[in-house]
Amino acid sequence: MVDENSEEAGIGKRALFGRHPHFAESVNGRQLLHSISRPCPDDAPNFARWLVSQSSWGVLNTISSDWGGAPFGNVVSFSDGLPDKGKGIPYFYLTGLDPTASNALKDQRSSLTLSEYSLGTCGNTDPENPICAKITLTGKLKLVDGNSKEAEFGRTVLFVKHLEMKGWPKSHNFQVFKLEIENIFMINWFGGPKPLTVDQYLHPKM
Amino acid sequence: MVDENSEEAGIGKRALFGRHPHFAESVNGRQLLHSISRPCPDDAPNFARWLVSQSSWGVLNTISSDWGGAPFGNVVSFSDGLPDKGKGIPYFYLTGLDPTASNALKDQRSSLTLSEYSLGTCGNTDPENPICAKITLTGKLKLVDGNSKEAEFGRTVLFVKHLEMKGWPKSHNFQVFKLEIENIFMINWFGGPKPLTVDQYLHPKM
């Protein structure tokens, strides 16, 4: 792979740090949470937690029972906690009218994919360039018991980041789901995926 | 589902059309192609083609051979043609160092998921709200013969939208892949997925 001090890495650094001054405001109506700045890419646990907490939406992937077991990605909003108090576990608000929830009730295998490009902090770097970070959390997508304290927590942290959710039609029977993470694939620099265990991710050293 | 004239739809319209004047410039360094304006959501074929052609990246899903057949989403750049001359079929530039290409060589089942939220044209509407459009193209992810005219076409349309790709390291052996579309799932308004065949998508009436 590419050495961090190579000319190629230098180009990457210039592309990243020569970014437009207004990018932090370009997240389509949602400001970045400036109280936590972008961690050093070498600090994989804190970098991953930053990327997940700053993101408001991603692509949630399930196995499609309708389309011959094909992998089916769907755009969803999520939240891993109150602003600046993310806990790393993504909660979703899904309706069975949508294939993702019904797929997950038949086969829980799932992944959630996020791009730093959505945050506006990649500057002019291409979304597929490894210095524009991306993460895929793979695991099981589980329905949370609607009467549990965990579902109450899920609704609280979802509604605070997605104000309109609270008013979504009751007839659609939205329910709280969560992703139980089993594997983490993150690229945030040259050199391939960062080694990162679920335990390191859930309990990063500050 | 929700009636288009209901109060709920009204809230949606206000959220969408009350958008920030600079959103068209907020696509992280890439201007929207203003020569083609956002089609009416009722015109499913042209709307889908607009969304695909305006997007520069998405989440490409494959079946993970490493992680027990889990659906594995990965952030990728793509192109369906020259600017304003999209043909609807996404081409990718992938390296076997990345799991997506190696997964596809073992099992071609795949999907590509895009959100209109990335374009900056959803205003303050939540990414999971049906009036902020999303599309998932499901099909087979196929390697294009590197010496073919189609591969040359793929490289041309990729490099014109992703300038830095041309300089990516030869040692990584990037190759052109394409998604052969078999099913289209698009939501761009209330009322569930829009009925849309692959033939209607590939040959929209102008």
Side-chain angles (χ1 to χ4, degrees):
Chain A
M1 305 298 285
V2 177
D3 185 272
E4 295 195 7
N5 297 314
S6 68
E7 186 189 0
E8 196 174 290
I11 292 168
K13 280 181 186 169
R14 283 194 296 280
L16 189 63
F17 296 112
R19 58 181 182 254
H20 191 282
H22 297 305
F23 274 151
E25 293 173 19
S26 75
V27 194
N28 301 353
R30 201 178 72 89
Q31 297 274 335
L32 278 182
L33 307 169
H34 285 294
S35 55
I36 302 171
S37 58
R38 190 182 195 265
C40 170
D42 288 340
D43 181 0
N46 280 303
F47 195 100
R49 290 289 295 272
W50 172 81
L51 185 52
V52 170
S53 283
Q54 292 281 12
S55 299
S56 67
W57 67 280
V59 173
L60 183 59
N61 312 299
T62 51
I63 299 284
S64 169
S65 51
D66 290 336
W67 290 328
F72 178 78
N74 201 351
V75 174
V76 298
S77 294
F78 75 93
S79 175
D80 79 325
L82 298 174
D84 293 341
K85 289 182 183 167
K87 294 186 184 302
I89 299 165
Y91 287 85
F92 310 92
Y93 202 48
L94 305 175
T95 162
L97 295 171
D98 209 64
T100 300
S102 54
N103 286 343
L105 294 176
K106 290 173 197 150
D107 185 337
Q108 296 183 327
R109 288 177 296 175
S110 179
S111 68
L112 174 68
T113 305
L114 314 175
S115 171
E116 189 192 352
Y117 203 74
S118 297
L119 302 183
T121 47
C122 288
N124 292 320
T125 304
D126 193 85
E128 198 175 304
N129 185 314
I131 67 168
C132 184
K134 58 184 178 179
I135 193 167
T136 300
L137 305 171
T138 307
K140 302 277 188 291
L141 183 58
K142 294 191 172 178
L143 176 64
V144 178
D145 175 359
N147 295 316
S148 65
K149 284 198 171 175
E150 186 175 15
E152 199 178 309
F153 171 79
R155 283 187 293 267
T156 301
V157 301
L158 281 160
F159 296 169
V160 84
K161 285 191 177 173
H162 303 277
L163 301 178
E164 62 173 81
M165 270 186 182
K166 205 172 177 176
W168 285 357
K170 285 202 192 313
S171 60
H172 289 201
N173 192 27
F174 282 92
Q175 292 179 291
V176 176
F177 285 73
K178 73 166 169 180
L179 185 66
E180 278 191 7
I181 305 167
E182 294 173 350
N183 282 290
I184 301 169
F185 171 88
M186 180 176 73
I187 291 184
N188 68 355
W189 194 254
F190 303 106
K194 281 283 192 303
L196 178 58
T197 67
V198 176
D199 189 59
Q200 288 167 336
Y201 171 81
L202 291 177
H203 308 287
K205 292 176 185 153
M206 301 308 283
Chain B
M1 303 299 284
V2 176
D3 184 272
E4 296 195 8
N5 298 314
S6 67
E7 186 190 358
E8 194 175 292
I11 292 169
K13 281 180 186 168
R14 283 193 296 280
L16 188 63
F17 296 112
R19 59 182 183 253
H20 191 282
H22 297 306
F23 274 152
E25 294 173 16
S26 74
V27 194
N28 302 351
R30 200 177 72 89
Q31 297 274 337
L32 278 182
L33 307 169
H34 285 294
S35 56
I36 303 171
S37 58
R38 189 183 196 264
C40 170
D42 287 340
D43 181 359
N46 280 304
F47 194 100
R49 291 288 294 272
W50 172 81
L51 186 51
V52 170
S53 283
Q54 291 280 12
S55 300
S56 67
W57 67 279
V59 172
L60 184 58
N61 261 281
T62 49
I63 299 283
S64 169
S65 51
D66 290 336
W67 291 327
F72 178 78
N74 202 352
V75 175
V76 298
S77 294
F78 75 94
S79 174
D80 79 325
L82 297 174
D84 293 342
K85 289 182 183 168
K87 295 187 183 301
I89 299 165
Y91 287 85
F92 309 92
Y93 203 47
L94 306 175
T95 161
L97 295 172
D98 209 63
T100 300
S102 54
N103 286 344
L105 293 175
K106 291 175 197 150
D107 185 336
Q108 296 183 326
R109 290 177 295 174
S110 179
S111 70
L112 174 68
T113 303
L114 315 175
S115 171
E116 188 192 353
Y117 203 75
S118 297
L119 302 183
T121 48
C122 287
N124 292 320
T125 304
D126 193 85
E128 197 175 305
N129 185 314
I131 68 169
C132 183
K134 58 183 178 179
I135 193 167
T136 300
L137 306 171
T138 307
K140 302 278 188 291
L141 184 59
K142 295 190 172 177
L143 176 64
V144 179
D145 174 358
N147 295 317
S148 64
K149 283 198 172 175
E150 186 175 14
E152 199 178 309
F153 172 80
R155 283 187 293 266
T156 301
V157 301
L158 281 160
F159 296 168
V160 83
K161 285 192 178 172
H162 304 278
L163 302 178
E164 61 174 80
M165 270 186 182
K166 206 173 177 176
W168 285 358
K170 286 202 192 312
S171 60
H172 289 201
N173 192 27
F174 282 92
Q175 292 179 291
V176 176
F177 286 72
K178 73 166 169 181
L179 185 66
E180 278 192 7
I181 305 167
E182 295 174 350
N183 282 290
I184 301 170
F185 171 89
M186 180 176 73
I187 291 184
N188 67 355
W189 194 254
F190 303 106
K194 281 283 191 304
L196 178 57
T197 67
V198 176
D199 189 59
Q200 288 167 337
Y201 170 82
L202 291 177
H203 308 287
K205 292 176 185 152
M206 300 308 284

